[in-house]
């Protein structure tokens, strides 16, 4: 089984609809992240959470919200989807308690979102 | 937000050739990571570097953590068709900080 899973893998929605993307991890990591990927722009950080009670905005948080329901679950919501939110969305995890400061980030398989 | 400068943006090479790409930052990082992404998939970790000067290999891949701590290099030897994909670097200023990503190097291997 994959360590970091995302659902759905693909989604088509209409402008103005509310969308939730979900992420679950079995790695036992404390930190979770949501990124957006657009062609030619690399990965951009939307939100991140260093533990269950911690939520931080990334560089492109406008139009998005998140919820860290448990250490293993981190969901991303688009309250009112718009076409320029069409992108590939990735969840990632990392372990701040990795020995010797050896923190490494692991990614889920991604969710492809199309907003019409 | 901080972006890492990754070059080249794209490469077209013949099968069997060696490949080099690099990533630079204006600030010091304590961790450098290299990932490969296949179309429609998530980035997969290739190599992690945690110490300035560190040289680490993973099969035909070798990565180095620059002495200045502001750059990192990835080399692929004797490329094969399955090396095709986008390679990303990522850096972390220190434990407790977020990771910053390069814009990727798209690699095409011509059989």
């Amino acid at each position: 089984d994959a360590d970091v899973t995302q659902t759905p893998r693909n989604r088509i929605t209409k402008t103005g609809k509310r969308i939730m993307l979900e992420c679950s991890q079995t790695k036992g990591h404390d930190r979770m992240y949501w990124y957006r990927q657009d062609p030619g722009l690399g990965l951009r950080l939307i939100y991140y959470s260093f533990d269950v009670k911690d939520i931080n905005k990334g560089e492109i948080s406008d139009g998005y919200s998140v919820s860290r329901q448990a250490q293993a679950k981190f969901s991303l919501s688009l309250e009112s989807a718009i076409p320029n939110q069409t992108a590939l969305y990735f969840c990632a995890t990392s372990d701040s308690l990795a020995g010797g400061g050896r923190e490494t980030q692991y990614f889920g398989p991604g969710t492809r979102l199309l907003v019409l | 937000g901080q972006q890492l400068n990754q070059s080249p943006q794209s490469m077209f090479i013949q099968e069997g050739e060696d490949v080099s790409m690099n990533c630079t930052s204006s600030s010091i990082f304590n961790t450098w990571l290299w990932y490969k992404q296949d179309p429609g998939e998530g980035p997969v970790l290739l190599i992690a570097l945690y110490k300035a000067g560190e040289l680490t290999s993973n099969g035909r891949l070798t990565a180095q953590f620059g002495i200045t701590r502001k750059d990192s290099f990835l080399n692929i030897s004797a490329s094969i068709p399955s090396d095709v994909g986008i390679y990303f670097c990522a850096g972390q200023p220190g434990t407790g900080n977020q990771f910053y990503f390069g814009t990727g190097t798209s690699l095409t291997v011509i059989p």
Side-chain angles (χ1 to χ4, degrees), chain A residues 9 31 33 35 37 40-45 48 50 57-59 88 90 94 96 100-110 112, chain B residues 1-3 9 31 33 35 37 39-45 48 50 54 86 88 92 94-104:
Chain A
R9 291 296 311 277
R31 297 179 172 178
Y33 309 77
Y35 291 92
Q37 186 177 41
L41 292 179
L43 289 157
R44 293 185 291 167
L45 184 62
Y48 60 104
F50 280 178
K57 291 183 178 180
E59 62 178 298
L88 198 50
F90 289 105
S94 68
S96 71
R102 293 177 174 252
E103 186 174 355
T104 305
Q105 199 165 80
Y106 297 90
F107 285 84
R112 188 173 298 277
Chain B
Q2 184 170 2
Q3 274 283 2
Q9 276 190 315
T31 297
L33 308 173
Y35 293 87
Q37 185 179 23
E41 302 295 330
V44 174
L45 182 69
Y50 301 104
E54 181 180 359
I86 301 178
F88 288 99
Q92 187 189 36
T95 303
N97 296 103
Q98 67 184 72
F99 289 84
Y100 297 92
F101 286 82
T103 51

Short mmCIF file of all heavy atoms in Angstrom, two decimals, chain A residues 9 31 33 35 37 40-45 48 50 57-59 88 90 94 96 100-110 112, chain B residues 1-3 9 31 33 35 37 39-45 48 50 54 86 88 92 94-104:
data_model
loop_
_atom_site.label_atom_id
_atom_site.label_comp_id
_atom_site.label_asym_id
_atom_site.label_seq_id
_atom_site.Cartn_x
_atom_site.Cartn_y
_atom_site.Cartn_z
N ARG A 9 -8.24 11.01 -7.51
CA ARG A 9 -7.07 11.17 -8.37
C ARG A 9 -7.36 12.14 -9.51
O ARG A 9 -6.46 12.81 -10.00
CB ARG A 9 -6.65 9.82 -8.96
CG ARG A 9 -6.07 8.83 -7.97
CD ARG A 9 -4.75 9.34 -7.34
NE ARG A 9 -3.80 9.82 -8.31
CZ ARG A 9 -2.97 9.05 -8.99
NH1 ARG A 9 -2.97 7.74 -8.82
NH2 ARG A 9 -2.13 9.60 -9.85
N ARG A 31 4.38 16.18 9.92
CA ARG A 31 4.19 17.35 9.06
C ARG A 31 3.52 16.96 7.75
O ARG A 31 3.87 15.95 7.14
CB ARG A 31 5.53 18.03 8.78
CG ARG A 31 6.15 18.55 10.05
CD ARG A 31 7.47 19.21 9.83
NE ARG A 31 7.91 19.85 11.08
CZ ARG A 31 9.04 20.49 11.22
NH1 ARG A 31 9.87 20.58 10.19
NH2 ARG A 31 9.35 21.04 12.36
N TYR A 33 1.76 18.72 3.94
CA TYR A 33 1.82 19.89 3.05
C TYR A 33 0.86 19.69 1.87
O TYR A 33 0.62 18.56 1.44
CB TYR A 33 3.24 20.02 2.46
CG TYR A 33 4.37 19.99 3.44
CD1 TYR A 33 4.80 18.79 4.00
CD2 TYR A 33 5.03 21.16 3.80
CE1 TYR A 33 5.86 18.75 4.90
CE2 TYR A 33 6.10 21.13 4.69
CZ TYR A 33 6.50 19.92 5.23
OH TYR A 33 7.55 19.89 6.12
N TYR A 35 0.64 21.17 -2.11
CA TYR A 35 1.29 21.92 -3.17
C TYR A 35 0.40 21.93 -4.40
O TYR A 35 -0.39 21.03 -4.63
CB TYR A 35 2.61 21.26 -3.59
CG TYR A 35 3.72 21.31 -2.58
CD1 TYR A 35 3.89 20.29 -1.65
CD2 TYR A 35 4.61 22.37 -2.57
CE1 TYR A 35 4.92 20.33 -0.73
CE2 TYR A 35 5.66 22.41 -1.64
CZ TYR A 35 5.80 21.38 -0.74
OH TYR A 35 6.82 21.42 0.17
N GLN A 37 0.86 22.30 -8.66
CA GLN A 37 1.83 22.28 -9.76
C GLN A 37 1.16 22.71 -11.05
O GLN A 37 0.15 22.15 -11.46
CB GLN A 37 2.44 20.89 -9.94
CG GLN A 37 3.56 20.85 -10.96
CD GLN A 37 4.18 19.47 -11.06
OE1 GLN A 37 3.50 18.46 -11.04
NE2 GLN A 37 5.50 19.44 -11.14
N GLY A 40 5.56 24.51 -16.03
CA GLY A 40 6.58 25.54 -16.07
C GLY A 40 6.76 26.34 -14.78
O GLY A 40 7.65 27.18 -14.70
N LEU A 41 5.93 26.07 -13.78
CA LEU A 41 6.03 26.84 -12.53
C LEU A 41 6.50 26.00 -11.36
O LEU A 41 6.60 26.50 -10.26
CB LEU A 41 4.69 27.48 -12.19
CG LEU A 41 4.21 28.57 -13.14
CD1 LEU A 41 2.85 29.09 -12.70
CD2 LEU A 41 5.23 29.72 -13.18
N GLY A 42 6.76 24.75 -11.56
CA GLY A 42 7.23 23.92 -10.47
C GLY A 42 6.16 23.72 -9.41
O GLY A 42 4.96 23.87 -9.68
N LEU A 43 6.58 23.44 -8.20
CA LEU A 43 5.68 23.18 -7.09
C LEU A 43 5.56 24.42 -6.23
O LEU A 43 6.57 24.98 -5.80
CB LEU A 43 6.22 22.02 -6.25
CG LEU A 43 6.12 20.65 -6.93
CD1 LEU A 43 7.14 19.69 -6.34
CD2 LEU A 43 4.72 20.09 -6.79
N ARG A 44 4.35 24.82 -5.97
CA ARG A 44 4.13 25.99 -5.11
C ARG A 44 3.32 25.57 -3.89
O ARG A 44 2.32 24.87 -4.00
CB ARG A 44 3.40 27.08 -5.89
CG ARG A 44 4.24 27.69 -7.02
CD ARG A 44 3.53 28.85 -7.68
NE ARG A 44 2.36 28.42 -8.44
CZ ARG A 44 1.43 29.25 -8.91
NH1 ARG A 44 1.52 30.56 -8.67
NH2 ARG A 44 0.42 28.79 -9.60
N LEU A 45 3.76 26.05 -2.74
CA LEU A 45 3.18 25.64 -1.46
C LEU A 45 1.89 26.41 -1.18
O LEU A 45 1.88 27.63 -1.21
CB LEU A 45 4.20 25.87 -0.34
CG LEU A 45 3.82 25.42 1.05
CD1 LEU A 45 3.62 23.91 1.10
CD2 LEU A 45 4.91 25.84 2.03
N TYR A 48 0.64 24.38 4.91
CA TYR A 48 1.34 23.29 5.56
C TYR A 48 0.97 23.25 7.03
O TYR A 48 0.53 24.24 7.60
CB TYR A 48 2.86 23.39 5.35
CG TYR A 48 3.52 24.64 5.87
CD1 TYR A 48 4.26 24.63 7.04
CD2 TYR A 48 3.44 25.84 5.15
CE1 TYR A 48 4.90 25.77 7.50
CE2 TYR A 48 4.07 26.99 5.61
CZ TYR A 48 4.80 26.95 6.77
OH TYR A 48 5.43 28.09 7.22
N PHE A 50 2.44 21.58 10.75
CA PHE A 50 3.55 20.92 11.43
C PHE A 50 3.07 19.96 12.52
O PHE A 50 3.84 19.17 13.02
CB PHE A 50 4.53 21.94 11.99
CG PHE A 50 5.48 22.50 10.96
CD1 PHE A 50 6.40 23.47 11.31
CD2 PHE A 50 5.46 22.06 9.65
CE1 PHE A 50 7.29 23.99 10.37
CE2 PHE A 50 6.34 22.56 8.70
CZ PHE A 50 7.26 23.53 9.06
N LYS A 57 -0.07 29.26 6.31
CA LYS A 57 -0.27 29.59 4.90
C LYS A 57 1.04 29.49 4.16
O LYS A 57 2.09 29.87 4.66
CB LYS A 57 -0.81 31.01 4.77
CG LYS A 57 -2.23 31.18 5.28
CD LYS A 57 -2.73 32.61 5.04
CE LYS A 57 -4.17 32.76 5.51
NZ LYS A 57 -4.66 34.14 5.28
N GLY A 58 0.94 28.99 2.92
CA GLY A 58 2.08 29.00 2.02
C GLY A 58 2.03 30.22 1.13
O GLY A 58 1.33 31.19 1.42
N GLU A 59 2.73 30.16 0.01
CA GLU A 59 2.82 31.34 -0.84
C GLU A 59 1.57 31.62 -1.66
O GLU A 59 1.37 32.73 -2.13
CB GLU A 59 4.03 31.23 -1.78
CG GLU A 59 3.97 30.05 -2.72
CD GLU A 59 5.16 30.00 -3.68
OE1 GLU A 59 5.33 30.94 -4.47
OE2 GLU A 59 5.90 29.01 -3.61
N LEU A 88 -2.51 20.45 -11.01
CA LEU A 88 -2.20 19.18 -10.36
C LEU A 88 -1.88 19.49 -8.90
O LEU A 88 -1.05 20.37 -8.63
CB LEU A 88 -1.00 18.55 -11.06
CG LEU A 88 -0.69 17.08 -10.89
CD1 LEU A 88 -1.90 16.22 -11.14
CD2 LEU A 88 0.44 16.68 -11.82
N PHE A 90 -0.65 18.21 -5.08
CA PHE A 90 0.09 17.16 -4.39
C PHE A 90 0.08 17.39 -2.89
O PHE A 90 0.26 18.51 -2.41
CB PHE A 90 1.54 17.12 -4.85
CG PHE A 90 1.71 16.61 -6.25
CD1 PHE A 90 1.99 17.47 -7.28
CD2 PHE A 90 1.60 15.25 -6.51
CE1 PHE A 90 2.15 17.00 -8.57
CE2 PHE A 90 1.75 14.77 -7.80
CZ PHE A 90 2.03 15.65 -8.83
N SER A 94 6.44 15.00 5.92
CA SER A 94 7.83 14.90 6.37
C SER A 94 7.84 14.66 7.87
O SER A 94 6.84 14.90 8.56
CB SER A 94 8.62 16.17 6.02
OG SER A 94 8.17 17.28 6.77
N SER A 96 9.66 15.63 11.24
CA SER A 96 10.58 16.57 11.90
C SER A 96 11.44 15.88 12.95
O SER A 96 12.44 16.44 13.40
CB SER A 96 9.78 17.71 12.57
OG SER A 96 9.08 17.22 13.70
N GLY A 100 19.10 13.13 13.48
CA GLY A 100 20.20 13.91 12.91
C GLY A 100 19.75 15.01 11.98
O GLY A 100 20.53 15.45 11.13
N GLY A 101 18.53 15.49 12.13
CA GLY A 101 18.04 16.57 11.27
C GLY A 101 17.82 16.13 9.85
O GLY A 101 17.80 16.95 8.93
N ARG A 102 17.65 14.84 9.65
CA ARG A 102 17.51 14.31 8.28
C ARG A 102 16.05 14.27 7.87
O ARG A 102 15.48 13.19 7.66
CB ARG A 102 18.15 12.94 8.21
CG ARG A 102 19.64 13.01 8.39
CD ARG A 102 20.31 11.65 8.39
NE ARG A 102 21.75 11.83 8.44
CZ ARG A 102 22.56 11.60 7.41
NH1 ARG A 102 22.07 11.18 6.28
NH2 ARG A 102 23.87 11.78 7.53
N GLU A 103 15.48 15.44 7.74
CA GLU A 103 14.07 15.52 7.35
C GLU A 103 13.96 15.39 5.85
O GLU A 103 14.66 16.07 5.10
CB GLU A 103 13.48 16.85 7.82
CG GLU A 103 11.99 16.97 7.59
CD GLU A 103 11.43 18.25 8.20
OE1 GLU A 103 12.20 18.97 8.86
OE2 GLU A 103 10.23 18.52 7.99
N THR A 104 13.07 14.53 5.39
CA THR A 104 12.87 14.29 3.97
C THR A 104 11.38 14.35 3.68
O THR A 104 10.56 13.96 4.51
CB THR A 104 13.43 12.91 3.59
OG1 THR A 104 14.79 12.84 3.99
CG2 THR A 104 13.34 12.67 2.09
N GLN A 105 11.04 14.84 2.52
CA GLN A 105 9.65 15.03 2.15
C GLN A 105 9.22 13.96 1.14
O GLN A 105 9.96 13.68 0.19
CB GLN A 105 9.45 16.43 1.57
CG GLN A 105 8.01 16.89 1.57
CD GLN A 105 7.90 18.38 1.34
OE1 GLN A 105 7.99 18.85 0.21
NE2 GLN A 105 7.66 19.13 2.38
N TYR A 106 8.03 13.39 1.36
CA TYR A 106 7.50 12.34 0.50
C TYR A 106 6.15 12.78 -0.06
O TYR A 106 5.32 13.32 0.68
CB TYR A 106 7.35 11.03 1.27
CG TYR A 106 8.65 10.48 1.79
CD1 TYR A 106 9.13 10.85 3.04
CD2 TYR A 106 9.41 9.64 1.01
CE1 TYR A 106 10.34 10.38 3.51
CE2 TYR A 106 10.63 9.14 1.47
CZ TYR A 106 11.08 9.53 2.72
OH TYR A 106 12.29 9.05 3.18
N PHE A 107 5.93 12.48 -1.33
CA PHE A 107 4.75 12.97 -2.02
C PHE A 107 3.72 11.89 -2.29
O PHE A 107 4.06 10.71 -2.48
CB PHE A 107 5.16 13.59 -3.37
CG PHE A 107 5.79 14.93 -3.22
CD1 PHE A 107 7.14 15.05 -2.94
CD2 PHE A 107 5.03 16.09 -3.35
CE1 PHE A 107 7.73 16.29 -2.79
CE2 PHE A 107 5.62 17.33 -3.21
CZ PHE A 107 6.97 17.43 -2.93
N GLY A 108 2.45 12.31 -2.34
CA GLY A 108 1.39 11.45 -2.81
C GLY A 108 1.35 11.43 -4.33
O GLY A 108 2.13 12.14 -4.99
N PRO A 109 0.43 10.67 -4.91
CA PRO A 109 0.38 10.51 -6.37
C PRO A 109 -0.26 11.68 -7.10
O PRO A 109 -0.18 11.77 -8.32
CB PRO A 109 -0.46 9.25 -6.55
CG PRO A 109 -1.35 9.23 -5.35
CD PRO A 109 -0.52 9.80 -4.22
N GLY A 110 -0.91 12.59 -6.38
CA GLY A 110 -1.48 13.77 -7.01
C GLY A 110 -2.96 13.65 -7.33
O GLY A 110 -3.50 12.55 -7.49
N ARG A 112 -5.55 15.46 -10.12
CA ARG A 112 -5.67 16.35 -11.29
C ARG A 112 -7.05 16.99 -11.24
O ARG A 112 -8.06 16.28 -11.31
CB ARG A 112 -5.48 15.56 -12.57
CG ARG A 112 -5.40 16.42 -13.81
CD ARG A 112 -5.04 15.59 -15.04
NE ARG A 112 -3.75 14.95 -14.93
CZ ARG A 112 -2.60 15.54 -15.21
NH1 ARG A 112 -2.58 16.79 -15.63
NH2 ARG A 112 -1.47 14.87 -15.09
N GLY B 1 7.62 33.80 -2.58
CA GLY B 1 8.38 32.79 -1.89
C GLY B 1 9.70 32.49 -2.58
O GLY B 1 9.90 32.85 -3.73
N GLN B 2 10.59 31.86 -1.88
CA GLN B 2 11.91 31.59 -2.44
C GLN B 2 11.84 30.50 -3.49
O GLN B 2 11.19 29.47 -3.28
CB GLN B 2 12.85 31.17 -1.31
CG GLN B 2 14.28 30.95 -1.77
CD GLN B 2 15.21 30.76 -0.61
OE1 GLN B 2 14.79 30.76 0.53
NE2 GLN B 2 16.49 30.61 -0.88
N GLN B 3 12.51 30.72 -4.62
CA GLN B 3 12.59 29.71 -5.65
C GLN B 3 14.05 29.36 -5.85
O GLN B 3 14.92 30.21 -5.77
CB GLN B 3 12.03 30.21 -6.97
CG GLN B 3 10.53 30.05 -7.14
CD GLN B 3 10.09 28.63 -7.46
OE1 GLN B 3 10.89 27.72 -7.53
NE2 GLN B 3 8.80 28.44 -7.66
N GLN B 9 16.70 23.93 -18.10
CA GLN B 9 15.25 23.73 -18.04
C GLN B 9 14.86 22.44 -18.73
O GLN B 9 13.91 21.77 -18.33
CB GLN B 9 14.52 24.89 -18.72
CG GLN B 9 14.30 26.09 -17.83
CD GLN B 9 13.36 27.08 -18.48
OE1 GLN B 9 13.48 27.39 -19.66
NE2 GLN B 9 12.44 27.61 -17.71
N THR B 31 19.64 21.02 3.88
CA THR B 31 19.20 19.79 3.24
C THR B 31 18.94 20.05 1.77
O THR B 31 18.34 21.07 1.43
CB THR B 31 17.91 19.27 3.90
OG1 THR B 31 18.14 18.96 5.26
CG2 THR B 31 17.38 18.03 3.18
N LEU B 33 17.39 17.85 -1.61
CA LEU B 33 16.72 16.64 -2.06
C LEU B 33 16.59 16.68 -3.57
O LEU B 33 16.39 17.75 -4.15
CB LEU B 33 15.32 16.52 -1.43
CG LEU B 33 15.23 16.64 0.09
CD1 LEU B 33 13.77 16.67 0.53
CD2 LEU B 33 15.97 15.51 0.76
N TYR B 35 14.38 14.83 -6.76
CA TYR B 35 13.21 14.02 -7.07
C TYR B 35 13.11 13.81 -8.58
O TYR B 35 13.57 14.62 -9.37
CB TYR B 35 11.91 14.74 -6.64
CG TYR B 35 11.72 14.91 -5.17
CD1 TYR B 35 12.25 16.01 -4.51
CD2 TYR B 35 10.98 13.99 -4.43
CE1 TYR B 35 12.04 16.19 -3.14
CE2 TYR B 35 10.78 14.16 -3.07
CZ TYR B 35 11.31 15.27 -2.44
OH TYR B 35 11.10 15.43 -1.10
N GLN B 37 9.95 13.02 -11.42
CA GLN B 37 8.50 12.96 -11.60
C GLN B 37 8.17 12.44 -12.99
O GLN B 37 8.61 13.02 -14.00
CB GLN B 37 7.87 14.34 -11.40
CG GLN B 37 6.35 14.32 -11.46
CD GLN B 37 5.74 15.69 -11.23
OE1 GLN B 37 6.38 16.72 -11.43
NE2 GLN B 37 4.49 15.72 -10.81
N PRO B 39 5.15 11.59 -15.85
CA PRO B 39 3.90 12.26 -16.21
C PRO B 39 2.71 11.71 -15.43
O PRO B 39 2.51 10.50 -15.34
CB PRO B 39 3.76 11.96 -17.70
CG PRO B 39 5.16 11.77 -18.18
CD PRO B 39 5.88 11.10 -17.05
N GLY B 40 1.95 12.63 -14.82
CA GLY B 40 0.75 12.24 -14.10
C GLY B 40 0.98 11.60 -12.75
O GLY B 40 0.03 11.14 -12.10
N GLU B 41 2.24 11.58 -12.30
CA GLU B 41 2.56 10.96 -11.02
C GLU B 41 3.18 11.97 -10.07
O GLU B 41 3.55 13.08 -10.46
CB GLU B 41 3.54 9.80 -11.23
CG GLU B 41 3.03 8.71 -12.15
CD GLU B 41 1.81 7.99 -11.59
OE1 GLU B 41 1.69 7.89 -10.35
OE2 GLU B 41 0.95 7.56 -12.41
N GLY B 42 3.29 11.56 -8.81
CA GLY B 42 3.93 12.44 -7.84
C GLY B 42 5.43 12.32 -7.88
O GLY B 42 5.97 11.31 -8.35
N PRO B 43 6.15 13.34 -7.43
CA PRO B 43 7.61 13.26 -7.38
C PRO B 43 8.07 12.12 -6.48
O PRO B 43 7.51 11.92 -5.40
CB PRO B 43 8.01 14.62 -6.80
CG PRO B 43 6.85 15.53 -7.10
CD PRO B 43 5.65 14.66 -7.00
N VAL B 44 9.08 11.42 -6.93
CA VAL B 44 9.65 10.32 -6.17
C VAL B 44 11.06 10.69 -5.75
O VAL B 44 11.86 11.14 -6.57
CB VAL B 44 9.67 9.03 -7.01
CG1 VAL B 44 10.39 7.91 -6.27
CG2 VAL B 44 8.26 8.59 -7.35
N LEU B 45 11.36 10.52 -4.48
CA LEU B 45 12.67 10.89 -3.96
C LEU B 45 13.76 9.99 -4.54
O LEU B 45 13.64 8.76 -4.53
CB LEU B 45 12.67 10.78 -2.44
CG LEU B 45 13.96 11.18 -1.73
CD1 LEU B 45 14.17 12.69 -1.85
CD2 LEU B 45 13.93 10.77 -0.27
N ALA B 48 18.86 12.10 -1.07
CA ALA B 48 18.79 13.12 -0.03
C ALA B 48 20.21 13.44 0.46
O ALA B 48 21.01 12.52 0.65
CB ALA B 48 17.94 12.64 1.13
N TYR B 50 22.52 15.82 3.30
CA TYR B 50 22.34 16.54 4.55
C TYR B 50 23.60 17.24 5.05
O TYR B 50 23.57 17.88 6.11
CB TYR B 50 21.85 15.58 5.65
CG TYR B 50 20.55 14.90 5.31
CD1 TYR B 50 20.53 13.57 4.92
CD2 TYR B 50 19.35 15.58 5.39
CE1 TYR B 50 19.33 12.94 4.60
CE2 TYR B 50 18.14 14.95 5.08
CZ TYR B 50 18.15 13.63 4.69
OH TYR B 50 16.97 13.01 4.39
N GLU B 54 28.85 16.55 0.81
CA GLU B 54 28.42 15.15 0.73
C GLU B 54 28.18 14.75 -0.72
O GLU B 54 27.60 15.49 -1.50
CB GLU B 54 27.14 14.97 1.55
CG GLU B 54 26.58 13.56 1.59
CD GLU B 54 25.31 13.47 2.43
OE1 GLU B 54 24.88 14.50 3.00
OE2 GLU B 54 24.72 12.37 2.50
N ILE B 86 10.80 14.55 -15.39
CA ILE B 86 11.19 15.86 -14.88
C ILE B 86 11.89 15.66 -13.55
O ILE B 86 11.38 14.98 -12.66
CB ILE B 86 9.97 16.79 -14.72
CG1 ILE B 86 9.29 16.97 -16.07
CG2 ILE B 86 10.41 18.14 -14.16
CD1 ILE B 86 8.05 17.84 -16.01
N PHE B 88 13.44 17.38 -10.14
CA PHE B 88 13.32 18.56 -9.29
C PHE B 88 14.34 18.51 -8.17
O PHE B 88 14.59 17.45 -7.59
CB PHE B 88 11.94 18.61 -8.63
CG PHE B 88 10.81 18.94 -9.55
CD1 PHE B 88 10.00 17.93 -10.05
CD2 PHE B 88 10.54 20.25 -9.89
CE1 PHE B 88 8.95 18.22 -10.90
CE2 PHE B 88 9.48 20.55 -10.74
CZ PHE B 88 8.69 19.54 -11.25
N GLN B 92 16.00 22.79 2.01
CA GLN B 92 15.41 23.20 3.28
C GLN B 92 16.45 23.99 4.07
O GLN B 92 17.55 23.48 4.29
CB GLN B 92 14.96 21.97 4.08
CG GLN B 92 14.17 22.32 5.34
CD GLN B 92 13.91 21.12 6.22
OE1 GLN B 92 14.77 20.24 6.33
NE2 GLN B 92 12.75 21.07 6.85
N GLY B 94 16.64 24.71 7.16
CA GLY B 94 16.95 24.07 8.42
C GLY B 94 15.73 23.33 8.88
O GLY B 94 14.62 23.59 8.42
N THR B 95 15.93 22.39 9.78
CA THR B 95 14.80 21.63 10.32
C THR B 95 13.79 22.59 10.91
O THR B 95 14.14 23.51 11.64
CB THR B 95 15.28 20.66 11.40
OG1 THR B 95 16.27 19.81 10.85
CG2 THR B 95 14.13 19.80 11.90
N GLY B 96 12.55 22.40 10.57
CA GLY B 96 11.53 23.31 11.06
C GLY B 96 11.10 24.30 10.02
O GLY B 96 10.13 25.04 10.22
N ASN B 97 11.83 24.35 8.91
CA ASN B 97 11.46 25.23 7.82
C ASN B 97 10.77 24.45 6.70
O ASN B 97 10.92 23.25 6.60
CB ASN B 97 12.69 25.92 7.24
CG ASN B 97 13.35 26.82 8.26
OD1 ASN B 97 14.36 26.47 8.82
ND2 ASN B 97 12.76 27.98 8.49
N GLN B 98 10.06 25.18 5.87
CA GLN B 98 9.46 24.52 4.72
C GLN B 98 10.52 24.18 3.70
O GLN B 98 11.67 24.63 3.80
CB GLN B 98 8.40 25.43 4.10
CG GLN B 98 8.98 26.68 3.46
CD GLN B 98 7.88 27.60 2.93
OE1 GLN B 98 7.17 28.25 3.70
NE2 GLN B 98 7.74 27.65 1.63
N PHE B 99 10.14 23.39 2.71
CA PHE B 99 11.03 23.04 1.62
C PHE B 99 10.75 23.99 0.44
O PHE B 99 9.62 24.38 0.20
CB PHE B 99 10.78 21.60 1.18
CG PHE B 99 11.26 20.58 2.17
CD1 PHE B 99 10.46 20.21 3.24
CD2 PHE B 99 12.50 19.98 2.03
CE1 PHE B 99 10.89 19.28 4.17
CE2 PHE B 99 12.93 19.04 2.95
CZ PHE B 99 12.13 18.68 4.02
N TYR B 100 11.81 24.32 -0.30
CA TYR B 100 11.68 25.15 -1.49
C TYR B 100 12.10 24.32 -2.69
O TYR B 100 13.04 23.52 -2.60
CB TYR B 100 12.55 26.40 -1.37
CG TYR B 100 12.13 27.30 -0.23
CD1 TYR B 100 12.70 27.16 1.03
CD2 TYR B 100 11.14 28.26 -0.41
CE1 TYR B 100 12.30 27.96 2.09
CE2 TYR B 100 10.74 29.07 0.64
CZ TYR B 100 11.32 28.92 1.88
OH TYR B 100 10.92 29.71 2.93
N PHE B 101 11.41 24.54 -3.83
CA PHE B 101 11.63 23.69 -4.99
C PHE B 101 12.15 24.45 -6.19
O PHE B 101 11.82 25.62 -6.39
CB PHE B 101 10.31 23.00 -5.38
CG PHE B 101 9.92 21.90 -4.44
CD1 PHE B 101 9.29 22.18 -3.24
CD2 PHE B 101 10.24 20.58 -4.73
CE1 PHE B 101 8.96 21.16 -2.35
CE2 PHE B 101 9.92 19.56 -3.85
CZ PHE B 101 9.29 19.85 -2.67
N GLY B 102 12.95 23.76 -6.98
CA GLY B 102 13.34 24.27 -8.28
C GLY B 102 12.21 24.09 -9.27
O GLY B 102 11.23 23.40 -8.99
N THR B 103 12.36 24.71 -10.44
CA THR B 103 11.31 24.65 -11.46
C THR B 103 11.40 23.40 -12.33
O THR B 103 10.56 23.17 -13.18
CB THR B 103 11.34 25.89 -12.35
OG1 THR B 103 12.66 26.08 -12.82
CG2 THR B 103 10.90 27.12 -11.57
N GLY B 104 12.42 22.59 -12.11
CA GLY B 104 12.50 21.31 -12.80
C GLY B 104 13.36 21.31 -14.05
O GLY B 104 13.51 22.33 -14.72
#
